[in-house]
Amino acid sequence: MHPSVALEVRYGANNYATLPVTLIRGQGIYLWDDTGKRYFDCMSAYSAVSHGHCHPKLVQALQDQLKMLAVVSRAVYTDPLGPFLQKACELTGFDKALPMNTGAEAVETALKAARKWAYIVKKVPANEVEIIACENNFHGRTLAIISMSSEPQYRGGFGPFLPGMKLIPYGDAEALEHAITPHTAAFLVEPIQGEGGIIVPPEGYLKKCADICKKNNVLLLCDEIQTGLGRTGALLACHHEQVQPDGITLGKALGGGLLPVSLFLSRTEVMDVFHPGDHGSTFGGNPLAAAVGKRSLEVLMEEDLITRAADSGRYFMSRLQELSSPRIKEVRGKGLFIGIEINKPYDAHELCLKLLEKGVLTKDTHKTVLRLAPPLVITREEIDEVVEIIRQVLK
Ligand code: IF1
């Protein structure tokens, strides 16, 4: 065991069930541990490393900016921020963007924007606003966000919770129609549920939700923190159904696997509820983050990572579907966002430990689903190697 593991265990809070590996280097889709053993990265830091580890163009952008200016606060203008926000808005078709750092902060920003929009524009009576979210969601760990979680572990011991949150079953557009009241500000949804187990909703679901929201003057907010930026084979997962939400959150891969960079993007009408002092962040939109964020969007397009994710995803999924094993219940997903549901009594966590031994790093969700979300730069040959290891482990 690496000596720093004992220190992590001794001095760190015990809030992760860590895999028995100490990683020290990464390049592209590969990681190396302290013994020099190489791993295929099939979790990409929960999709934060879509470009691959230490992408040279992104490292260069970080270094170039680092030599100039790193952090100064939003009390001043800086030169990387404007171009970053422009790039993000133009790519995604939104009018404005608000930079934060982590995904949870972007979601909090979306919730605050929706609440204020509902009071100012929709004229909901003071303190009466409701937000609708889905059962089995994952949007982060803050108190507002866990107030709309349906997962007992994420809530247990953390009450009291924020009022004004309503949950409906995922994938059920009718349930949305029924849940909306004149006080509903927004419907917040993951286009594909990630931590919920890579749950792909029925075809047409998001489109129906978009129509229902529009009809009822309710904002459609899509959490694209994990599904966005090419992961599912489209720039945004909502594009699979030609849906343009009223707002989205981006994070994870936006930081190019180097830094925490997140955004809330929306139409002007929504973003204009914010005035100086209403909301902010010390680090959000700092020059380093903005330079890396802009470059990560550019590299996504330059290297055609979206098409590559669509193609490799189709290939990966079909290869996995060929694996006939009594352990596999279902293979599902979109692009390089793939889940293998494991039949009981087999345990996806135990499979992850065996995969780790054989050089494939991944993480289960809720012990039932094996998640496969490699960096989007993975090649067919590498997919073949990973599938072969999975085949051996399933035997
Ligand atoms: C943890 C899983 C992934 C997210 C969506 C917002 C956030 C996330 C759709 C918050 C974060 C994470 C965080 C990580 C585990 C994790 C996860 F294992 F739970 F299932 F990605 F797949 N919206 N997802 O998926 O973003 O504030 O973390 O930057 O342990 O909390 P964040």
Side-chain angles (χ1 to χ4, degrees), residues 299-312:
V299 171
L300 198 72
M301 305 316 282
E302 276 169 31
E303 302 194 351
D304 215 10
L305 295 182
I306 300 167
T307 317
R308 281 167 70 180
D311 293 345
S312 317

Side-chain angles (χ1 to χ4, degrees), residues 284-351:
N286 70 72
L288 266 188
V292 168
K294 173 164 169 282
R295 198 74 188 107
S296 85
L297 294 172
E298 287 166 357
V299 171
L300 198 72
M301 305 316 282
E302 276 169 31
E303 302 194 351
D304 215 10
L305 295 182
I306 300 167
T307 317
R308 281 167 70 180
D311 293 345
S312 317
R314 225 173 285 122
Y315 180 71
F316 203 167
M317 195 109 81
S318 71
R319 291 294 326 270
L320 291 170
Q321 244 130 19
E322 285 164 22
L323 295 173
S324 63
S325 163
R327 291 176 195 248
I328 297 181
K329 186 168 176 197
E330 189 187 23
V331 179
R332 57 178 181 247
K334 236 183 205 148
L336 284 170
F337 198 36
I338 301 174
I340 305 180
E341 186 163 350
I342 303 299
N343 265 322
K344 281 183 187 130
Y346 302 110
D347 178 327
H349 180 69
E350 267 165 43
L351 284 174

Side-chain angles (χ1 to χ4, degrees), residues 112 135 166 219 223 282 296 310 359 369 382:
K112 286 171 85 172
E135 287 163 8
K166 227 185 209 175
L219 301 177
D223 183 342
T282 303
S296 85
V369 179
E382 289 160 344

Side-chain angles (χ1 to χ4, degrees), residues 49 96 135 144 150 196 234 249 255 265 359:
V49 185
K96 295 195 173 213
E135 287 163 8
S150 59
T249 50
L265 297 114

Side-chain angles (χ1 to χ4, degrees), residues 12-317:
N14 187 27
N15 61 330
Y16 276 93
T18 319
L19 291 164
V21 62
T22 305
L23 298 171
I24 55 164
R25 190 163 80 83
Q27 192 65 62
I29 70 152
Y30 297 109
L31 290 161
W32 287 268
D33 72 9
D34 55 334
T35 70
K37 178 172 164 185
R38 193 188 77 172
Y39 301 82
F40 292 94
D41 186 358
C42 281
M43 65 177 289
S44 309
Y46 297 126
S47 300
V49 185
S50 287
H51 302 76
H53 292 278
C54 301
H55 191 297
K57 289 179 188 169
L58 297 176
V59 170
Q60 189 65 52
L62 179 73
Q63 285 172 334
D64 290 348
Q65 185 58 45
L66 198 50
K67 285 179 200 146
M68 291 300 296
L69 182 65
V71 172
V72 279
S73 95
R74 291 293 304 283
V76 297
Y77 290 106
T78 55
D79 58 331
L81 184 55
F84 167 47
L85 300 180
Q86 177 188 26
K87 182 92 208 160
C89 286
E90 285 181 357
L91 260 183
T92 57
F94 288 98
D95 300 321
K96 295 195 173 213
L98 195 156
M100 299 295 278
N101 312 282
T102 63
E105 289 172 311
V107 173
E108 289 277 338
T109 304
L111 296 174
K112 286 171 85 172
R115 280 184 163 198
K116 204 162 181 205
W117 170 87
Y119 293 123
I120 292 175
V121 180
K122 189 167 170 170
K123 308 261 190 274
V124 172
N127 295 317
E128 294 289 330
V129 151
E130 291 166 358
I131 307 252
I132 301 173
C134 288
E135 287 163 8
N136 202 37
N137 72 67
F138 191 91
H139 298 292
R141 303 283 196 171
T142 63
L143 285 167
I145 291 170
I146 62 167
S147 295
M148 52 189 185
S149 176
S150 59
E151 169 58 48
Q153 196 194 357
Y154 300 160
R155 296 166 61 91
F158 299 132
F161 299 105
L162 210 62
M165 306 292 197
K166 227 185 209 175
L167 287 186
I168 58 170
Y170 186 63
D172 182 349
E174 255 170 50
L176 174 63
E177 184 121 50
H178 292 310
I180 290 174
T181 74
H183 294 175
T184 306
F187 174 50
L188 173 67
V189 64
E190 295 159 90
I192 294 175
Q193 284 188 332
E195 114 92 22
I198 323 284
I199 310 287
V200 185
E203 222 179 292
Y205 170 64
L206 207 62
K207 182 79 189 73
K208 276 190 210 154
C209 291
D211 293 342
I212 292 166
C213 284
K214 195 161 183 181
K215 200 174 79 190
N216 291 283
N217 196 24
V218 165
L219 301 177
L220 175 65
L221 302 175
C222 288
D223 183 342
E224 293 267 8
I225 287 164
Q226 184 152 202
T227 53
L229 305 181
R231 173 56 55 193
T232 70
L235 175 69
L236 302 176
C238 57
H239 289 172
H240 290 295
E241 299 198 350
Q242 286 78 47
V243 165
Q244 180 71 10
D246 298 291
I248 60 165
T249 50
L250 290 178
K252 294 188 188 280
L254 189 59
L258 299 179
L259 295 173
V261 184
S262 69
L263 287 175
F264 168 61
L265 297 114
S266 73
R267 295 188 280 113
T268 303
E269 180 193 288
V270 179
M271 201 66 91
D272 279 0
V273 303
F274 288 122
H275 299 293
D278 288 353
H279 184 57
S281 157
T282 303
F283 289 101
N286 70 72
L288 266 188
V292 168
K294 173 164 169 282
R295 198 74 188 107
S296 85
L297 294 172
E298 287 166 357
V299 171
L300 198 72
M301 305 316 282
E302 276 169 31
E303 302 194 351
D304 215 10
L305 295 182
I306 300 167
T307 317
R308 281 167 70 180
D311 293 345
S312 317
R314 225 173 285 122
Y315 180 71
F316 203 167
M317 195 109 81

